[in-house]
Amino acid sequence: MKTIARFVCLLLIVILIATATGCGRKPAYSDININQPERRQPQADGEQPASGEAAQGQLQPGQQSANAQPSQSAPPQFRVPAFMDSVTGGVKDIPNFPEAREVNKQYGPQQGYDTAGLTLRTSAPIEKIIEFYDKALKSNGWTVVTQNKTSLNAEWNIKKGENDDGRVMVQKDPNSNLWYIVIARTQRQPEAKK
């Protein structure tokens, strides 16, 4: 019985010492500083490699591992479509309705086209919105391919040359009685030079 008690006491002491010294404790993710360079462990017996000598398994600047993978080419650089106005953030040739507030904007390349989509919101009457876009589309060189205008909504499908298309849609939100204007613009990307 005494040997079991001594064993339990000895085991508790070992556990207490291990806990107090942090034996086996791994840092939490919040303890890791990602901006700090990785520290290499010293070689066996606490020896550091001599200066100019590479430690086994460590690479020196400019040295490449024998089993290193070839670097992959970087993804294409994202660019803002040419038809976007860098000052206003809108589409250059399909202006935002002056009394509207922008609520959403998305743009970027998609399947060989530069695209943009803007959503605007206004409390102005639809007649005023229709009058504005009838004039703005014509004055910006757009050809109206199809249009639909009622007291409940309006839509213009537009084209400019062979590579530029657009659409303006106006619709009322029945819950808020506000008008939403959606402007969609696409432009075919130039062929890559070979």
Side-chain angles (χ1 to χ4, degrees):
M1 194 71 152
K2 281 185 175 184
T3 57
I4 294 176
R6 283 184 193 169
F7 177 75
V8 170
C9 282
L10 185 59
L11 184 61
L12 286 174
I13 291 172
V14 169
I15 291 173
L16 231 103
I17 292 171
T19 304
T21 61
C23 179
R25 179 183 175 272
K26 292 191 180 215
Y29 286 112
S30 60
D31 294 340
I32 298 173
N33 182 355
I34 61 170
N35 295 321
Q36 185 177 18
E38 181 183 352
R39 286 190 225 161
R40 300 281 185 192
Q41 294 295 324
Q43 290 181 344
D45 301 324
E47 293 178 25
Q48 295 290 332
S51 65
E53 240 178 69
Q56 186 176 3
Q58 294 180 347
L59 296 177
Q60 294 300 312
Q63 183 181 11
Q64 189 172 19
S65 171
N67 56 357
Q69 298 294 322
S71 63
Q72 296 180 0
S73 62
Q77 184 69 26
F78 177 77
R79 63 180 175 72
V80 176
F83 55 75
M84 294 296 291
D85 187 331
S86 61
V87 176
T88 65
V91 176
K92 290 177 184 175
D93 53 1
I94 307 176
N96 290 358
F97 181 67
E99 297 174 37
R101 186 173 137 226
E102 187 177 286
V103 293
N104 190 13
K105 176 183 352 187
Q106 297 177 344
Y107 55 84
Q110 185 176 19
Q111 298 178 354
Y113 287 86
D114 287 329
T115 65
L118 284 78
T119 304
L120 314 170
R121 180 175 60 205
T122 184
S123 59
I126 191 168
E127 295 81 19
K128 196 171 183 179
I129 300 168
I130 290 172
E131 181 183 348
F132 173 80
Y133 280 107
D134 278 341
K135 290 178 183 175
L137 296 174
K138 185 177 180 181
S139 67
N140 281 285
W142 290 100
T143 300
V144 177
V145 178
T146 62
Q147 63 183 344
N148 178 24
K149 297 181 243 176
T150 70
S151 61
L152 301 175
N153 60 33
E155 181 177 348
W156 296 262
N157 289 303
I158 53 180
K159 189 163 186 63
K160 189 189 291 187
E162 292 297 314
N163 297 323
D164 297 277
D165 294 299
R167 174 183 271 177
V168 178
M169 296 171 286
V170 182
Q171 191 162 5
K172 190 171 193 171
D173 177 18
N175 297 325
S176 66
N177 287 326
L178 295 173
W179 293 96
Y180 283 87
I181 303 166
V182 177
I183 298 171
R185 173 78 160 85
T186 63
Q187 183 176 58
R188 185 185 318 268
Q189 293 174 341
E191 299 279 332
K193 295 179 182 179
K194 295 181 180 181

